[in-house]
Amino acid sequence: MASSNEDLSHIPLEIRSVITTESSDGIPFPASPVPHTHRTWARTFSSHPEVYLQPSTLPQITKITNLARRCRRRLVVVGSGHSPSNLTCTSSWMVNLDKYSRVLSIDPTTGICVLQSGIRLWQLSEALNKEGLALPSMGSINEQSIAGAISTGTHGSSLQHGLISEGVESLKIVLANGEEVFCSPTERQDLFRAALLSLGAIGIVTEVTFRAVKAFSLAWEQSIDSDSKLFAEWESKLWKQSEFVRVWWFPYMRRAVVWKADKVDENDLDTGVVRNYDPPTSFQDSKFGYFVYHNLLALARWFPRITPWVEWFVFGLQYGFGNGEATTTRAVQPSYKAFLLNCLYSQFVNEWAIPLAKGPEALQRLAAWLHRLQPGDEGYVEHKIPFSAEGLWVHSPVEVRVSDTTVHTSAERGNRPWLDITPEDGPALYLNATMYRPYHKDPSNNATERYYEAFEWLMRDLGGKPHWAKTFAVTPEEFASKQWYGENFHQFRKVRDEVDAQGMFVGPWQRKFLLGEPAEEKDRLALEEVGFEQKPAKEGGFVVTGHQNAVVA
């Protein structure tokens, strides 16, 4: 990183002039000396920020914010870029906190740890493990920063846990005015609830105080069986049989993998009665399997009708061609390993949360639509989806997970995010529809658009809301409706507008999904970024370009 004018020759002259003017304070301006290209993990979108910054100190973050305000620039904070949407893209200033990632303190007795916000979950897990601690729950990846995981509503799969953010005791945030402020359930509660799922629209989260738990290992097992068994056990035992349960559903085979895990007694580990061991290398985790599946997906772009056969072949090799106990795989692993999954290839993901009880109906209706079932066909139900599935072939599996945010969070406790997508009165079921992009090429025949149009219609019909970090098509008016967020959405907007009245943290994504387009161009916020123009990228996906609503003062 560099701070001299010569090192920043790729930055517009008027910006360099402001940076030079403010260099006498001795605080480096941590800008990249070369132009930077930002890409989402899935290479679905890319952008070219005007300035790419990696601060390592709080004074640097404050300086960046103050200079952005003076230069009339938007700020975007980015970590791993794991969201497949253009949420993290910008042509303005991009801030990456990988160098602001220290563990400031850990209390092994209480589990309270104070963290700089850029720390990745894998780094945090390593630091906690050294102190005999762990995260209470995790999603399927650990590349996210703690701030990114909190800001997008990341969750695991357990009826005893909710969002990752439920472990947050307090936050510090640098606002658009350059001031670092503290918030918690008891101090600036409205700001705290907004920052717990902020979507980059509130400010720069700089410090997280989090409550970890004693380190634990998980004894887990998984097996594949017919989805009829899944539905039969849905209410009675499926989600209650273990602390952590997740499911992968295969619509063409009408089969489902159930993964369940429970904590191992600490004494059993200490005495050697139970030992950690990894599962056998699976087909997909082998180099050969990874290559074979990738190329079969690529072939299916040209011959989509083979997609059901690819599902049968690949996942038969992965989990077994039979059903039941004979397909069971087991392992005992530290929690930070047991939760993780191989995401394999570039992908679109569209995930919604619906009430848990509506899960069987959702999957049965989706299956009837995909199979184009008619009355009298085995498995027929009336799907009511008003779109044709003729000639449509989709990828699998559909990931099925649960959470219950009412266990540890609520409005009364002051720690439920305003934009929490889960029901306020009970457990949520997350359905995640994935469409792979083999070798960064989209599926053919508009398959993704057709699938997601029908999937979202069904999720709406079942009272669902979309995961903020995934792909979806919803308007701010819909989000603000009484049936969706209602007053909670307005409260989030109120807090956002109060702490960022000029729109330093507003871009086209926030306009499209949170704020709505202004009645007239003159009503745009002074610092917001306007756009995006999308053009196909050579390596696949789209390059997005925005422009500032204001010029340098």
Side-chain angles (χ1 to χ4, degrees), residues 106-112 124-136 212-217 266 270 335-336:
I106 296 180
D107 186 333
T109 303
T110 63
I112 296 294
L124 176 56
S125 293
E126 288 182 356
L128 291 175
N129 188 57
K130 291 177 182 178
E131 300 293 337
L133 298 172
L135 295 169
V213 298
K214 290 189 68 174
F216 59 96
S217 285
E266 187 178 2
D270 290 342
S335 61
Y336 59 84

Side-chain angles (χ1 to χ4, degrees), residues 273-337:
V273 173
V274 177
R275 298 181 183 276
N276 288 318
Y277 66 93
D278 293 331
T281 301
S282 68
F283 174 72
Q284 290 178 346
D285 285 332
S286 69
K287 291 182 179 180
F288 176 72
Y290 181 94
F291 175 81
V292 168
Y293 187 27
H294 205 180
N295 284 278
L296 286 174
L297 288 170
L299 183 65
R301 290 188 69 249
W302 297 98
F303 306 101
R305 288 182 176 273
I306 72 169
T307 302
W309 175 85
V310 172
E311 178 185 292
W312 169 83
F313 177 71
V314 169
F315 293 103
L317 292 174
Q318 174 75 3
Y319 299 111
F321 290 97
N323 284 333
E325 180 65 26
T327 67
T328 301
T329 299
R330 296 181 174 85
V332 178
Q333 295 176 298
S335 61
Y336 59 84
K337 291 180 65 177

Side-chain angles (χ1 to χ4, degrees), residues 334-528:
S335 61
Y336 59 84
K337 291 180 65 177
F339 286 128
L340 301 183
L341 288 176
N342 185 348
C343 290
L344 296 174
Y345 322 111
S346 173
Q347 58 195 252
F348 291 112
V349 284
N350 194 326
E351 180 177 16
W352 288 57
I354 63 174
L356 177 61
K358 295 185 177 181
E361 178 186 351
L363 296 177
Q364 289 167 340
R365 288 172 65 182
L366 186 59
W369 179 73
L370 287 171
H371 286 272
R372 301 178 285 282
L373 298 181
Q374 300 298 315
D377 291 343
E378 183 179 357
Y380 170 80
V381 297
E382 187 179 5
H383 60 73
K384 301 180 183 178
I385 298 173
F387 309 106
S388 172
E390 193 65 37
L392 176 66
W393 309 97
V394 304
H395 297 152
S396 55
V398 172
E399 186 177 36
V400 186
R401 295 183 288 172
V402 294
S403 77
D404 191 344
T405 56
T406 67
V407 176
H408 299 290
T409 67
S410 67
E412 293 71 25
R413 286 177 254 188
N415 62 348
R416 179 180 171 87
W418 293 118
L419 298 183
D420 189 336
I421 72 173
T422 64
E424 295 186 28
D425 56 358
L429 181 78
Y430 302 90
L431 296 178
N432 186 3
T434 298
M435 288 293 281
Y436 287 113
R437 304 176 61 247
Y439 297 101
H440 302 117
K441 300 296 183 182
D442 294 351
S444 57
N445 302 323
N446 295 317
T448 302
E449 292 79 3
R450 292 180 60 198
Y451 182 26
Y452 286 175
E453 180 181 43
F455 179 75
E456 292 191 5
W457 186 94
L458 178 60
M459 294 298 99
R460 283 180 171 89
D461 195 51
L462 294 169
K465 299 187 189 77
H467 191 303
W468 289 104
K470 308 297 174 67
T471 301
F472 59 86
V474 181
T475 65
E477 292 74 24
E478 197 169 9
F479 282 130
S481 67
K482 186 176 180 181
Q483 293 78 12
W484 286 53
Y485 290 98
E487 185 58 28
N488 285 344
F489 192 80
H490 295 296
Q491 286 295 326
F492 176 86
R493 282 282 309 273
K494 178 183 177 183
V495 173
R496 205 226 71 76
D497 294 346
E498 286 175 352
V499 299
D500 183 25
Q502 290 188 303
M504 180 181 289
F505 298 99
V506 172
W509 191 96
Q510 285 77 16
R511 268 290 173 198
K512 183 176 182 179
F513 297 114
L514 297 178
L515 307 185
E517 291 298 325
E520 299 182 36
E521 285 300 306
K522 66 181 179 62
D523 296 327
R524 289 194 179 277
L525 301 176
L527 303 186
E528 76 170 280

Side-chain angles (χ1 to χ4, degrees), residues 52-70:
Y52 180 73
L53 299 132
Q54 286 192 303
S56 58
T57 67
L58 179 60
Q60 288 179 357
I61 295 174
T62 300
K63 180 169 184 171
I64 289 168
T65 307
N66 290 331
L67 284 181
R69 187 173 62 255
R70 178 172 173 183

Side-chain angles (χ1 to χ4, degrees), residues 61-275:
I61 295 174
T62 300
K63 180 169 184 171
I64 289 168
T65 307
N66 290 331
L67 284 181
R69 187 173 62 255
R70 178 172 173 183
C71 293
R72 321 302 287 170
R73 290 300 188 262
R74 176 198 179 201
L75 290 180
V76 176
V77 183
V78 64
S80 63
H82 227 274
S83 171
S85 74
N86 59 22
L87 171 63
T88 58
C89 290
T90 185
S91 295
S92 191
W93 290 13
M94 179 172 286
V95 180
N96 172 270
L97 298 177
D98 281 352
K99 295 183 178 181
Y100 196 74
S101 57
R102 292 171 49 219
V103 175
L104 301 178
S105 67
I106 296 180
D107 186 333
T109 303
T110 63
I112 296 294
C113 49
V114 182
L115 316 163
Q116 290 183 333
S117 59
I119 190 169
R120 300 295 181 101
L121 295 185
W122 66 267
Q123 295 171 316
L124 176 56
S125 293
E126 288 182 356
L128 291 175
N129 188 57
K130 291 177 182 178
E131 300 293 337
L133 298 172
L135 295 169
S137 178
M138 282 181 63
S140 300
I141 61 171
N142 62 1
E143 289 297 324
Q144 302 150 294
S145 68
I146 185 66
I150 292 167
S151 298
T152 53
T154 298
H155 61 90
S157 189
S158 171
L159 288 181
Q160 299 179 35
H161 302 273
L163 306 182
I164 300 300
S165 63
E166 70 184 15
V168 176
E169 299 283 317
S170 64
L171 296 169
K172 289 184 180 180
I173 310 166
V174 171
L175 301 178
N177 62 6
E179 177 187 1
E180 185 184 52
V181 299
F182 175 89
C183 57
S184 73
T186 58
E187 188 170 335
R188 299 195 71 164
Q189 183 189 112
D190 284 355
L191 177 61
F192 183 67
R193 294 182 65 186
L196 283 177
L197 208 165
S198 68
L199 302 168
I202 301 296
I204 302 177
V205 175
T206 51
E207 187 175 291
V208 179
T209 299
F210 192 92
R211 184 180 295 275
V213 298
K214 290 189 68 174
F216 59 96
S217 285
L218 288 174
W220 64 262
E221 64 177 59
Q222 66 182 25
S223 59
I224 191 167
D225 215 320
S226 67
D227 65 3
S228 60
K229 181 179 179 181
L230 182 84
F231 301 142
E233 296 180 347
W234 194 276
E235 292 288 344
S236 60
K237 63 172 282 190
L238 176 63
W239 302 106
K240 304 170 186 175
Q241 60 187 315
S242 294
E243 181 173 352
F244 302 96
V245 181
R246 54 192 178 190
V247 170
W248 296 277
W249 178 67
F250 301 92
Y252 294 119
M253 296 191 296
R254 298 304 301 266
R255 301 167 77 202
V257 170
V258 177
W259 181 96
K260 59 182 181 179
D262 284 299
K263 293 173 182 174
V264 178
D265 185 273
E266 187 178 2
N267 290 331
D268 287 345
L269 281 174
D270 290 342
T271 59
V273 173
V274 177
R275 298 181 183 276

